Each structure stands twice: as C-alpha cells, then as structure tokens.
Amino acid sequence: MSIKKENEITVKVNSSFDELVEILKNKGFKAIDKFTCKDIYYIHKTFDISKSSTREIIKNAVILRDVRKDKVLMFKEKKIDENGNILEQKKVECNVLNIEDAKKFLEAIGYKELMKISEDDVSYIKNGLKLTIKNVINGDNLIEIETSDIPGFSTIEDLKEKLLELKLPIDTSNFFIKKAEIELGKALNR
C-alpha cells in the first residue's frame, strides 16, 4: 500500500485530440508514454446517492484502476476550496493481482459499481514540462499536469504559468476540471 501526496491542474481542451497532438508536436513536445486507463468507481451500497451532491458521492467512492500492467484499488482525498480549486490531494493505493477478483471482493464487502471511465492518454515532455493529454471516452479531451520537486514545477501557479505560455486551445476558466464529477453528473442526469 502506498500513500501519495500530490497536486495537479486539469484543463479542458477546445480542439480535437488529434489536433492537440499536432499542436504539441509542432511546439517541440516529444511523446514519452501512451496508455489506456480504465477506472471503475464503487460506492458502498448503504450510501444514499439520491441525497448527496456529485462531489460528496465521488468523495466516498473507491476506484478500481487498470492501467498498463498496474491494477490498484484507490481512494482519493481532495481538499477543495469554495471556488472549486483543488488545494491539496492525496491518494491511497493498494495493488491487486486480478481485476475480476477485486470486483468480487468489493461486492462481498458491500460495494456496488457506480460508473466506469475509460480514457486513452499520451504523455509529452519538453524542457522539463511533462503533461498528459486525455481522451476521455464519450467525454472531454483534457490536459493534466502534476506538480513535482523540480524547481519551476512545484506549485500550481508554476504549472498555470507554464501552460498559459504555450498558448494551447484550452479553456482557461477552470484549471481544476474534475473528470469524475462531470462523468457522474452525466450518468445521474444531473
């Protein structure tokens, strides 16, 4: 089991995934990783989703993630201010050997499937800036950048500044898109 403290910005892309790939290549970014991420969100069957906000539901969800050869159970904690900005987040992960066994285990301890989110991701890097573009299946195209220990990339403000300098086709009105909340809102018709 591991506990990771991190923060990140996530913005919506105002172009197609393929157009964004071309823009990044033309700006000198190099692809360093390509992968598919499949998340299944679970909520305890006693949790009343009809009386809870989308954010509250996600806050109580457990995620079963299948990405590359890694399979993990994950629980995320996010400290969010009144404007929706993510101030801090951490996640607790536990490796699992088999997704089907993990599903059966979650169901055995009283959890039920809430939703699935799949995305095709490509990570790019240039001059120390690593960003991941996410093509959420039946959802939005997003860019995610995580803080790091590298000077100039350690704060949210650093990341915003670097991203804005690139003049990419992004929505700058929200640097903290919460993909799970958006997708759950669609699933629940909210």
Side-chain angles (χ1 to χ4, degrees):
M1 184 172 73
S2 65
I3 299 174
K4 298 177 183 176
K5 218 173 184 186
E6 58 188 28
N7 211 345
E8 65 193 21
I9 59 174
T10 304
V11 294
K12 183 179 174 186
V13 176
N14 294 328
S15 71
S16 74
F17 191 80
D18 292 337
E19 289 170 330
L20 182 60
V21 166
E22 282 305 309
I23 291 168
L24 290 172
K25 286 180 183 176
N26 290 335
K27 290 185 177 283
F29 278 84
K30 301 292 180 213
I32 57 170
D33 198 7
K34 187 175 184 176
F35 55 95
T36 298
C37 180
K38 297 177 183 176
D39 288 342
I40 307 173
Y41 286 73
Y42 286 85
I43 195 79
H44 199 272
K45 61 184 174 188
T46 61
F47 188 88
D48 188 351
I49 61 174
S50 67
K51 294 182 180 178
S52 301
S53 69
T54 304
R55 181 165 295 161
E56 191 65 25
I57 296 166
I58 295 297
K59 182 179 175 184
N60 285 279
V62 174
I63 305 165
L64 179 56
R65 175 166 287 173
D66 186 355
V67 60
R68 295 183 199 92
K69 296 179 181 179
D70 297 327
K71 294 157 184 42
V72 296
L73 276 173
M74 180 186 319
F75 183 75
K76 291 185 174 186
E77 288 183 62
K78 295 183 182 189
K79 190 184 288 186
I80 301 173
D81 70 14
E82 63 278 352
N83 297 319
N85 298 318
I86 300 172
L87 304 174
E88 181 182 306
Q89 60 183 324
K90 68 179 179 178
K91 60 184 173 182
V92 180
E93 295 180 336
C94 178
N95 292 326
V96 296
L97 299 175
N98 180 290
I99 291 291
E100 293 306 315
D101 288 347
K103 288 178 183 179
K104 290 174 188 170
F105 177 80
L106 285 166
E107 291 166 5
I109 62 171
Y111 282 78
K112 63 181 180 179
E113 185 178 307
L114 183 61
M115 69 173 169
K116 294 179 181 176
I117 301 177
S118 293
E119 61 190 47
D120 294 319
D121 297 354
V122 184
S123 294
Y124 288 88
I125 194 162
K126 179 184 175 188
N127 299 330
L129 177 62
K130 180 182 172 189
L131 54 86
T132 301
I133 58 174
K134 300 173 165 290
N135 180 10
V136 180
I137 308 305
N138 299 317
D140 295 321
N141 293 319
L142 306 170
I143 295 175
E144 179 182 283
I145 309 173
E146 295 182 356
T147 55
S148 72
D149 294 335
I150 301 169
F153 301 94
S154 60
T155 69
I156 292 298
E157 290 308 314
D158 290 340
L159 301 182
K160 285 182 184 178
E161 182 181 319
K162 300 272 193 263
L163 186 59
L164 290 172
E165 287 172 4
L166 293 172
K167 296 186 179 0
L168 297 173
I170 59 171
D171 179 353
T172 58
S173 68
N174 185 354
F175 286 89
F176 299 98
I177 296 292
K178 294 155 199 77
K179 167 185 65 183
E181 289 183 21
I182 292 169
E183 296 304 312
L184 181 60
K186 287 190 233 176
L188 299 177
N189 295 317
R190 291 185 178 176

